[in-house]
């Protein structure tokens, strides 16, 4: 379960360009739930996802994940928790060029140890499941947009995180590729994963696996649908 309690984020605090990106967000996401954040550009979706995923700290307020208060954890334990708890899919797949697809998928495991054979097998079977089995040995830069985004999803899932955070995962995909990615995302809650997605894409918002839509505007949540 994720509990967000009165979270604010102020960028460049105390400077002329000070900007309040989140103003007092409170929100509870149950384990296994699928939630979509919608809202215009600049409404704070990415900022909120980054705070939920322990990629950045709020200016004030608290975030608890599975009973642990992220806002009180030192950086070292935070980065451990981040790796074990969250899988991230961003708008751009950010695959490392020159590396094979399978090695990109294994990247999150590297800080832990040299990926052992079991993990390599898991990477292969994930790629297989995402329809990329035959591209595992290809260089990342040879993938199409849709393939790269699916590889990024495999990378997000490699350590089997309980929470998947996806920021505009369909933004660079055509309708067919977007629908494909959505159906892959839709298969995750069945595995018990919590899914938090930010998206402008009506295809995502209308997807039947989405349980709750939160509308954001000016750093606030307007309504819970
Ligand atoms: N590091 C930063 N420093 C200063 N301002 C920032 C920073 N990151 C985000 N902002 C500002 O905070 C606001 C919210 O940004 P955020 O990226 O969360 O919006 P968003 O809803 O994800 O928008 P989009 O739909 O365009 O991705 C924006 O006005 C942005 O310019
Ligand atoms: Mg964003």
């Amino acid at each position: 379960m994720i509990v967000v309690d009165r979270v604010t984020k102020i960028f460049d605090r105390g400077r002329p360009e000070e900007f309040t990106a989140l103003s007092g967000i409170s929100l509870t996401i149950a384990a296994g739930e699928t939630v979509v954040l919608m809202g215009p550009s600049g409404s704070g979706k990415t900022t909120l996802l980054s705070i939920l995923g322990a990629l950045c700290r709020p200016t004030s307020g608290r975030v608890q994940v599975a009973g642990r208060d992220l806002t009180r954890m030192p950086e070292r334990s935070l980065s451990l928790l981040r790796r074990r708890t969250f899988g991230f899919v961003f708008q751009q797949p950010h695959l490392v060029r020159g590396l094979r697809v399978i090695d990109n998928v294994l990247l999150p495991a590297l800080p832990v140890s040299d990926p052992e054979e079991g993990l390599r097998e898991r990477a292969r079977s994930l790629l297989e499941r995402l329809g990329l089995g035959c591209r595992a040995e290809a260089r990342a830069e040879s993938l199409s947009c849709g393939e790269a985004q699916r590889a990024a999803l495999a990378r997000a899932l490699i350590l089997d995180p309980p929470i998947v955070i996806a920021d505009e995962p369909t933004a660079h995909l055509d309708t067919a590729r977007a629908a494909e990615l959505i159906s892959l995302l839709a298969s995750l809650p069945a595995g018990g994963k919590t899914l938090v997605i930010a998206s402008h894409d009506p295809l995502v918002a209308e997807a039947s696996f989405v349980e709750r839509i939160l509308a954001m505007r000016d750093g606030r949540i307007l309504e819970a649908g």
Side-chain angles (χ1 to χ4, degrees):
M1 179 157 86
I2 304 171
V3 181
V4 178
D5 183 27
R6 288 164 291 172
V7 158
T8 67
K9 181 69 181 181
I10 303 170
F11 289 110
D12 303 307
R13 204 174 182 190
R15 300 173 49 188
E17 64 271 31
E18 176 173 304
F19 184 82
T20 302
L22 298 178
S23 0
I25 301 256
S26 293
L27 162 72
T28 301
I29 300 172
E33 195 177 13
T34 298
V35 175
V36 172
L37 301 172
M38 294 202 88
S41 181
S43 57
K45 303 180 297 292
T46 296
T47 307
L48 181 55
L49 288 184
S50 315
I51 289 174
L52 286 182
L55 292 171
C56 81
R57 290 179 190 271
T59 304
S60 67
R62 282 191 196 304
V63 180
Q64 284 188 9
V65 173
R68 300 184 70 186
D69 188 342
L70 302 192
T71 41
R72 286 168 171 247
M73 287 171 70
E75 193 48 48
R76 268 189 63 125
S77 12
L78 207 55
S79 69
L80 254 172
L81 173 129
R82 198 182 292 137
R83 205 157 49 226
R84 295 218 179 106
T85 311
F86 301 102
F88 296 94
V89 182
F90 301 101
Q91 184 165 352
Q92 304 276 358
H94 296 302
L95 300 180
V96 178
R97 299 172 62 85
L99 270 191
R100 291 178 307 160
V101 173
I102 185 152
D103 293 323
N104 268 280
V105 173
L106 285 165
L107 277 179
L110 286 182
V112 187
S113 65
D114 231 0
E116 77 289 348
E117 212 34 54
L119 220 45
R120 218 160 254 287
E121 268 319 297
R122 182 174 159 76
R124 265 181 216 293
S125 81
L126 273 171
L127 287 171
E128 205 72 56
R129 208 179 112 206
L130 300 182
L132 285 175
C134 56
R135 307 292 278 138
E137 306 298 329
R139 302 272 158 196
E141 61 272 26
S142 71
L143 297 186
S144 71
C145 277
E147 288 172 338
Q149 197 53 304
R150 280 181 281 147
L153 182 57
R155 182 184 55 194
L157 297 174
I158 186 68
L159 296 179
D160 199 20
I163 303 172
V164 174
I165 291 181
D167 195 0
E168 316 263 4
T170 60
H172 292 302
L173 305 181
D174 62 35
T175 307
R177 298 288 91 73
E180 206 173 87
L181 190 85
I182 289 166
S183 74
L184 291 167
L185 287 172
S187 68
L188 298 178
K193 293 197 191 303
T194 307
L195 199 49
V196 189
I197 309 170
S199 185
H200 287 113
D201 188 345
L203 277 178
V204 173
E206 289 158 10
S208 58
F209 70 107
V210 171
E211 291 166 298
R212 190 150 56 118
I213 296 173
L214 300 170
M216 285 192 75
R217 183 173 286 270
D218 303 327
R220 294 172 200 280
I221 289 175
L222 296 184
E223 56 188 82

